[in-house]
Amino acid sequence: MFERLIDIFKKPKEFEYSNSTELWSNPHISKQMLKFHLDPNVDHASRNKIFLDKSINWIIQKFHISSKSKVLDLGCGPGLYTHEFAKTGAKVTGIDVSKNSIEYASKIAEEDNLNIEYINANYLNYDITKKYDLITLIYCDYCVLNPDDRNTLLNKIFSSLEDNGSFVFDVLSTNHFNNIKEKHSCNYSHSYG
Ligand SMILES: C[S@@+](CC[C@H](N)C(=O)[O-])C[C@H]1O[C@@H](n2cnc3c(N)ncnc32)[C@H](O)[C@@H]1O
């Protein structure tokens, strides 16, 4: 067991492998992630409600989202942003790899009579066929991608934007990154023991 633990705790090379789509789409983990998305007080899967409301208003105003706009949100989660964008009358599409989040987003859109197109797919290999005035990728998802995936996604986004379209994304600052302390821990779990 200790040999296995030593192996598990070996530090991988930068971007040696990625399990981020598995993390979000695993049926068991994605249920807990959805709870985090919908908790207004924590920043675990989506930002807290105060920040979220401010950033939604900022995006709507800064990029003049209105009934004339076509907006695509990549990694839309349970639709916290898409839902508000659609209330302006904009034509909104959300793509997310989590089936659980897409099902939740579709349900609340239907309840509020909002006609939002939700697609359950991996945005790295999904073929985007329409053009958009605004494409968003929110909550530092760009940071987890390896350089090849960043290239793939940026090319996809570039070719899916209308002339004068905009791409909004957020990243962690170098200062934030430098202040992160790496650590690992182990816990015994009865459910798997
Ligand atoms: C940190 S959460 C942010 C969710 C949302 N943007 C928000 O701020 O409320 C990242 C989201 O991206 C989705 N995601 C991660 N990688 C993805 C991929 N390759 N394709 C599609 N969705 C992905 C996850 O399922 C998750 O909903």
Side-chain angles (χ1 to χ4, degrees), residues 19 22-36 98 100 192:
N19 62 357
E22 167 64 8
L23 174 78
W24 293 103
S25 57
N26 173 289
H28 175 71
I29 301 174
S30 70
K31 276 196 196 131
Q32 183 58 35
M33 287 302 198
L34 182 58
K35 281 194 199 144
F36 284 142
S98 163
N100 209 28
Y192 296 107

Side-chain angles (χ1 to χ4, degrees), residues 2-167:
F2 288 109
E3 272 165 25
R4 175 101 180 88
L5 283 177
I6 288 167
D7 196 36
I8 287 170
F9 284 139
K10 240 187 247 153
K11 187 173 169 176
K13 288 195 199 104
E14 243 177 38
F15 299 119
E16 189 178 331
Y17 56 78
S18 162
N19 62 357
S20 90
T21 46
E22 167 64 8
L23 174 78
W24 293 103
S25 57
N26 173 289
H28 175 71
I29 301 174
S30 70
K31 276 196 196 131
Q32 183 58 35
M33 287 302 198
L34 182 58
K35 281 194 199 144
F36 284 142
H37 278 297
L38 301 179
D39 185 333
N41 301 311
V42 301
D43 288 306
H44 299 335
S46 295
R47 289 199 170 88
N48 68 76
K49 174 100 174 86
I50 295 172
F51 189 101
L52 205 119
D53 286 346
K54 269 196 202 159
S55 55
I56 288 168
N57 285 335
W58 181 82
I59 295 170
I60 290 176
Q61 277 163 32
K62 179 88 184 163
F63 298 95
H64 311 290
I65 302 183
S66 71
S67 57
K68 295 193 189 104
S69 317
K70 288 168 292 167
V71 182
L72 169 66
D73 188 20
L74 298 169
C76 61
L80 302 178
Y81 290 81
T82 40
H83 202 82
E84 300 308 313
F85 296 159
K87 284 184 185 165
T88 66
K91 260 183 140 274
V92 181
T93 302
I95 299 181
D96 202 286
V97 76
S98 163
K99 188 166 177 275
N100 209 28
S101 283
I102 287 292
E103 281 173 1
Y104 176 88
S106 307
K107 185 174 85 113
I108 55 160
E110 201 179 322
E111 280 168 13
D112 280 357
N113 257 325
L114 291 170
N115 187 17
I116 304 172
E117 179 185 31
Y118 281 117
I119 300 164
N120 180 207
N122 180 340
Y123 50 57
L124 292 171
N125 51 35
Y126 180 76
D127 195 15
I128 304 171
T129 50
K130 296 180 195 158
K131 297 249 182 192
Y132 297 89
D133 304 300
L134 176 67
I135 299 183
T136 53
L137 178 72
I138 299 168
Y139 212 3
C140 305
D141 273 18
Y142 187 77
C143 299
V144 301
L145 300 175
N146 68 40
D148 285 346
D149 286 347
R150 287 180 187 177
N151 248 338
T152 305
L153 190 61
L154 288 179
N155 279 321
K156 229 178 235 293
I157 289 168
F158 186 69
S159 54
S160 311
L161 281 172
E162 292 284 9
D163 292 346
N164 297 318
S166 304
F167 171 47

Side-chain angles (χ1 to χ4, degrees), residues 164-183:
N164 297 318
S166 304
F167 171 47
V168 174
F169 68 117
D170 49 356
V171 292
L172 296 173
S173 66
T174 311
N175 194 31
H176 179 101
F177 188 75
N178 290 338
N179 284 322
I180 292 174
K181 297 218 175 359
E182 285 189 27
K183 59 180 181 193

